[in-house]
């Protein structure tokens, strides 16, 4: 793997079409395929910051009351937050970097547009994607305020 998940990653996904491989899309247009699941990639990144994916999810559950589609906060002040499009027990895993998300538009399928001009077509409705992204924004705002208050 070239690097850990950071602000340079636009999205991470594993679908039935990727045959068990995980696609990491970078801001510069490059794409990397790895055997780790998106959860494993996020967990390894959080472990570098003395946390874990489990701790992140528990924090979202206790502080924000998010049990489904909980965003993964890597660094709230830097707006480095990934929001999922599927539940965590689903085989398909899509995590979108909130920093690079621009909009989602419904056609036959939904197209997600990113700040670097990249787009992605998904089966979820735009309203579902917007709800997930709003959770990420609210969590980022909350954790940024908490950090300013106590640090």
């Amino acid at each position: 793997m070239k690097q850990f998940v950071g602000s340079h990653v636009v999205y991470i996904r594993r679908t039935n079409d990727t045959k068990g491989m995980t696609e990491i899309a970078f801001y510069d247009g490059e794409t990397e395929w790895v055997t780790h699941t998106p959860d494993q990639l996020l967990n390894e990144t959080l472990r570098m910051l003395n946390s874990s994916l489990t701790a992140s999810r528990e924090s979202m559950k206790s502080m924000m009351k998010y049990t489904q589609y909980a965003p993964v906060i890597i660094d709230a002040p830097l707006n480095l937050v990934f929001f999922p499009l599927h539940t965590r027990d689903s085989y398909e895993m899509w995590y979108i970097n909130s920093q690079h998300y621009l909009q989602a538009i419904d056609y036959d399928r939904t197209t997600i547009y990113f700040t670097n001009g990249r787009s992605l077509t998904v089966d979820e409705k735009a309203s579902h994607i917007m709800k997930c992204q709003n959770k990420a924004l609210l969590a980022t705002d909350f954790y940024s305020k908490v950090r300013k208050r106590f640090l």
Side-chain angles (χ1 to χ4, degrees):
M1 186 170 76
K2 181 168 50 172
Q3 323 177 14
F4 285 97
V5 176
S7 62
H8 58 286
V9 174
V10 176
Y11 64 83
I12 308 166
R13 73 176 178 149
R14 180 185 71 186
T15 66
N16 290 329
D17 298 336
T18 61
K19 297 176 179 60
M21 297 291 286
T22 297
E23 176 186 7
I24 305 171
F26 296 99
Y27 189 80
D28 61 6
E30 290 184 36
T31 302
E32 185 174 351
W33 295 89
V34 296
T35 57
H36 295 359
T37 68
D39 280 353
Q40 289 171 332
L41 293 170
L42 291 170
N43 192 43
E44 287 297 317
T45 301
L46 287 166
R47 285 182 57 197
M48 289 179 59
L49 301 169
N50 296 324
S51 186
S52 70
L53 188 57
T54 303
S56 175
R57 287 181 173 148
E58 287 300 316
S59 176
M60 285 289 115
K61 187 176 179 180
S62 66
M63 301 301 281
M64 302 294 296
K65 308 300 184 226
Y66 295 156
T67 55
Q68 294 286 330
Y69 306 103
V72 178
I73 296 179
I74 295 174
D75 192 343
L78 294 177
N79 191 26
L80 186 51
V81 179
F82 286 82
F83 62 91
L85 298 185
H86 297 90
T87 58
R88 64 181 170 190
D89 58 346
S90 173
Y91 176 78
E92 290 198 6
M93 292 182 179
W94 299 59
Y95 287 95
I96 308 293
N97 187 339
S98 180
Q99 201 174 46
H100 299 302
Y101 171 82
L102 190 59
Q103 67 179 355
I105 299 177
D106 285 331
Y107 295 115
D108 291 334
R109 295 175 71 201
T110 302
T111 303
I112 301 173
Y113 294 97
F114 299 98
T115 57
N116 66 343
R118 191 185 280 259
S119 65
L120 185 64
T121 304
V122 298
D123 291 328
E124 285 69 29
K125 294 290 182 193
S127 59
H128 169 72
I129 297 166
M130 301 245 331
K131 285 179 189 176
C132 293
Q133 203 254 349
N134 280 338
K135 282 184 176 183
L137 292 175
L138 290 171
T140 303
D141 187 49
F142 176 79
Y143 280 91
S144 293
K145 287 178 182 175
V146 166
R147 184 172 185 201
K148 285 179 187 175
R149 184 171 179 191
F150 293 106
L151 297 179

